[in-house]
Amino acid sequence: MLEIKFLNKSYGKKQVLFGLNYTFSDGVYGLLGPNGAGKSTLIQIMTGNLTCDSGSVSYCGKDIRKHSREYRQVLGYVPQLQGMYEMFTAFQFLSYMAALKSIPKQKIPLEAEAALEIVGLLDVAGKKLSTYSGGMKQRILIAQALLGQPKVLILDEPTAGLDPKERIKIRNFISRIAEERTVIIATHVVSDVDSIAKEILLLGEGRIRRHGSIQELCSQLSGQVYEARIKSEALEKLEERVVISNIQELPDSTIQVRFIAKDENFRGLVTEGAEVSANLQEVYLSVFSEQDGRGGENAGAV
């Protein structure tokens, strides 16, 4: 069990985290928020790479600062930026990282092979990392985090810069390795976590704005999400009254639109409109549109 209590962090006069509290158990957690929300700062504190101003992070009841060596033995971390030795082969890189993690020398080859197999790169283990695509390098970073079979796995923007196909691969790998460990994924891309996370934390301006299961979060938008057809000339007016989550142009020159609305004063602008169930993307838009003050008084609010 990983627990954060009353975490505060400032850089100079700018406070970036405000009294965060949360308890993580086994399973996948999505830490969602826009750029600048404080996700990376929180991740750096939870990995022990950054010290908070006040508060604590504990694993199984022990403060990670006082038991840092013990904590690092159960921690796997995938950083946002790809930093690795390009002239190493994948196997050499993982062997080197395993040695840094104090994995016994005789166990390193088996650990490296097992990690490479999980991320689907065992067949190219002998190739230099300089020849790898961005997605393959990201998978190697996940592989190094799996060395030593960590109980806590923290990933900071694991799909940044990847194409949709690679994003799906990374998401599938994460889902496969999530059994009996805590996995925390910090991202601003909803699709990275919407099909695999058991709980979502929405972090905005250094505060946890909402948290809960996807079903719980979506249910809080019940009665506020609609799908309708509008004429193209009505789109601009509709955007002033609601938070739009999806737009699709139709062959008959009308527009199919999904949107979040707190009341029904949009009715004169739409035809064939109906209430629909919310998705996580709409929860995200609702929370952060509210935070940014966008969407007018009729913007949906969770």
Side-chain angles (χ1 to χ4, degrees):
M1 183 174 68
L2 183 66
E3 187 173 16
I4 60 175
K5 291 183 177 179
F6 306 108
L7 283 187
N8 291 282
K9 180 64 180 178
S10 298
Y11 295 109
K13 295 182 179 180
K14 181 177 176 58
Q15 188 166 353
V16 293
L17 296 180
F18 297 82
L20 302 187
N21 293 279
Y22 205 78
T23 300
F24 302 88
S25 57
D26 288 349
V28 179
Y29 292 82
L31 180 60
L32 279 174
N35 292 329
K39 300 188 302 297
S40 291
T41 296
L42 177 56
I43 289 297
Q44 290 298 310
I45 292 173
M46 288 196 294
T47 55
N49 293 323
L50 189 65
T51 302
C52 57
D53 297 336
S54 61
S56 65
V57 180
S58 61
Y59 177 70
C60 292
K62 297 180 179 179
D63 192 308
I64 67 168
R65 292 173 295 182
K66 297 177 181 178
H67 302 270
S68 60
R69 183 178 179 84
E70 184 179 345
Y71 179 58
R72 288 185 182 280
Q73 289 178 343
V74 301
L75 175 67
Y77 173 49
V78 180
Q80 182 176 353
L81 300 176
Q82 295 179 351
M84 57 186 71
Y85 299 100
E86 297 279 321
M87 297 310 294
F88 278 18
T89 66
F91 189 83
Q92 288 172 333
F93 177 70
L94 293 185
S95 298
Y96 173 70
M97 295 302 294
L100 292 180
K101 291 186 175 185
S102 300
I103 294 174
K105 188 174 181 180
Q106 66 273 20
K107 293 184 178 181
I108 288 178
L110 290 177
E111 284 273 356
E113 287 180 11
L116 285 163
E117 186 171 9
I118 288 172
V119 299
L121 293 174
L122 187 57
D123 59 334
V124 290
K127 292 188 177 182
K128 291 183 177 181
L129 297 178
S130 59
T131 67
Y132 279 24
S133 68
M136 293 167 71
K137 288 179 180 178
Q138 199 66 22
R139 281 189 269 162
I140 285 294
L141 287 178
I142 293 175
Q144 64 80 27
L146 294 174
L147 294 169
Q149 302 178 31
K151 293 297 184 181
V152 177
L153 187 62
I154 298 178
L155 305 94
D156 191 3
E157 300 284 359
T159 65
L162 302 185
D163 62 36
K165 186 176 179 181
E166 286 290 354
R167 283 182 182 274
I168 293 170
K169 284 183 180 179
I170 297 296
R171 188 169 64 231
N172 290 341
F173 292 138
I174 293 169
S175 181
R176 284 172 53 197
I177 62 180
E179 292 184 12
E180 298 182 355
R181 56 165 57 99
T182 299
V183 181
I184 302 170
I185 306 170
T187 182
H188 64 276
V189 181
V190 171
S191 61
D192 282 353
V193 294
D194 63 358
S195 63
I196 61 174
K198 80 170 189 178
E199 289 194 28
I200 298 292
L201 289 78
L202 292 165
L203 187 69
E205 296 181 341
R207 294 179 171 86
I208 297 174
R209 300 293 180 179
R210 301 287 187 276
H211 65 83
S213 69
I214 294 174
Q215 183 178 3
E216 289 169 344
L217 292 172
C218 290
S219 69
Q220 294 174 30
L221 276 184
S222 177
Q224 297 183 44
V225 182
Y226 298 85
E227 190 168 81
R229 284 193 180 193
I230 62 172
K231 295 180 179 179
S232 57
E233 57 267 25
L235 181 59
E236 186 174 344
K237 290 183 179 179
L238 185 64
E239 288 178 317
E240 294 174 356
R241 303 185 186 185
V242 302
V243 176
I244 292 178
S245 61
N246 191 63
I247 295 172
Q248 180 183 4
E249 293 187 8
L250 301 176
D252 62 0
S253 298
T254 62
I255 296 175
Q256 186 86 9
V257 60
R258 281 180 66 105
F259 57 88
I260 310 157
K262 197 172 182 179
D263 56 38
E264 297 190 6
N265 74 349
F266 59 85
R267 288 295 183 184
L269 299 174
V270 308
T271 58
E272 301 181 29
E275 182 183 319
V276 294
S277 298
N279 56 41
L280 185 58
Q281 178 76 36
E282 284 152 349
V283 173
Y284 182 98
L285 287 172
S286 175
V287 170
F288 295 113
S289 294
E290 179 186 28
Q291 172 187 298
D292 297 340
R294 290 182 285 111
E297 67 178 29
N298 300 312
V302 177

